[in-house]
Amino acid sequence: MRYVGMKNGDIWYVTFGPDKTDETAESMARSTRTFKSEIDAKLFAMQILAKGWSASAGTLNPHQPKQVVGPAQIERWADPGLGG
């Protein structure tokens, strides 16, 4: 296995961590979780955003088409009420 924690068949990732302006979370590093489906990744991203943390997401190589969701777009992507 190339990446620790990556399970066979995972297609999506969500990278997350506390907002850089959150002084109480200075010692916490960013982390990444992988998911088999976009829906699971979106549900997890919504939980992260509800904490006030930042996140980004995308598809893992070699999955095509490659998709990247940056921090500025993640809320719209993850929330079905916003068109995600």
Side-chain angles (χ1 to χ4, degrees), residues 6-80:
M6 182 188 286
K7 298 176 186 73
N8 193 18
D10 285 349
I11 295 173
W12 282 88
Y13 71 87
V14 175
T15 300
F16 59 96
D19 191 328
K20 291 182 180 183
T21 61
D22 184 354
E23 294 175 10
T24 63
E26 283 182 22
S27 65
M28 297 184 70
R30 292 186 63 80
S31 298
T32 300
R33 281 195 47 194
T34 60
F35 302 89
K36 293 189 183 311
S37 73
E38 183 177 11
I39 301 260
D40 291 338
K42 285 181 175 187
L43 290 170
F44 181 74
M46 287 302 298
Q47 293 173 358
I48 294 302
L49 294 173
K51 289 182 177 182
W53 289 10
S54 63
S56 59
T59 52
L60 296 164
N61 289 330
H63 184 74
Q64 294 294 325
K66 180 72 175 159
Q67 295 183 47
V68 177
V69 183
Q73 297 88 27
I74 193 116
E75 189 171 0
R76 183 174 194 79
W77 169 79
D79 189 341

